[in-house]
Amino acid sequence: MAASAGMTMAKRVLVLNGPNLNMLGQRQPEIYGRTTLAEIDADVETAAGELGMEAVCRQSNHEGELVTWIQEARGDFDAIVINAAAYTHTSVALLDALTLFEGPVVEVHLSNIHRREAFRHRSYISGATLGMIAGFGPVGYRLALLALADRWRADGGAP
Ligand code: CA2
């Protein structure tokens, strides 16, 4: 629908999940819990609606596909929420793609990466983000949307 005078379009948020997160709920529940990615996506879409946003959720096991989606998000999405999974700790390509995106980026991790192995303590993509939410499980994605809503409110934009 085209926006008319006084009408605010919902902010569009692209929610990206990286490699192996499609396995959530099936392995390592002691680290990642029992919630499936489909359940997380459904909750994110509900939370976005409650905040007057629209969320589009995607997952890929392929670095290049994530890069392409981030490139294509320019001009189509207002923000990105990303759990880059293992690529967090390796990918200059994702950092570069996220740096080119004009809107805010929020990084999410289900686990507290700073309580885990040393190689997980470093995030390559953090340099392109507003901030990181880590260690709160699936609710982290909702917290990321709240952080975006708060930022947009502070900036005087919708929602
Ligand atoms: O805590 C997170 O959200 C991570 O991004 C998850 C990544 C890990 O490499 C990061 O260091 C932290 C791993 C995702 C693997 O997902 C699985 C899901 C179910 C079973 C096994 C792995």
Side-chain angles (χ1 to χ4, degrees), residues 48-116:
E50 289 165 2
L51 290 164
M53 303 175 188
E54 182 189 348
V56 174
C57 301
R58 294 187 189 140
Q59 185 274 335
S60 179
N61 293 324
H62 303 279
E63 186 177 18
E65 187 163 42
L66 291 163
V67 168
T68 298
W69 287 342
I70 294 165
Q71 290 178 0
E72 291 173 353
R74 298 177 74 231
D76 192 15
F77 288 92
D78 299 292
I80 294 175
V81 171
I82 183 166
N83 182 347
Y87 292 143
T88 303
H89 318 298
T90 62
S91 181
V92 177
L94 281 180
L95 169 64
D96 289 347
L98 290 169
T99 301
L100 291 170
F101 181 73
E102 316 88 335
V105 178
V106 181
E107 179 176 359
V108 172
H109 297 287
L110 295 161
S111 63
N112 179 353
I113 56 175
H114 294 290
R115 283 188 69 166
R116 302 185 63 193

Side-chain angles (χ1 to χ4, degrees), residues 28-42:
Q28 296 186 282
E30 67 287 359
I31 301 177
Y32 298 116
R34 297 195 182 277
T35 309
T36 65
L37 187 58
E39 289 167 339
I40 290 175
D41 288 349

Side-chain angles (χ1 to χ4, degrees), residues 139-154:
V139 77
Y141 294 87
R142 272 184 176 257
L143 297 175
L145 294 180
L146 271 177
L148 288 170
D150 189 63
R151 173 56 60 113
W152 282 322
R153 216 175 358 251

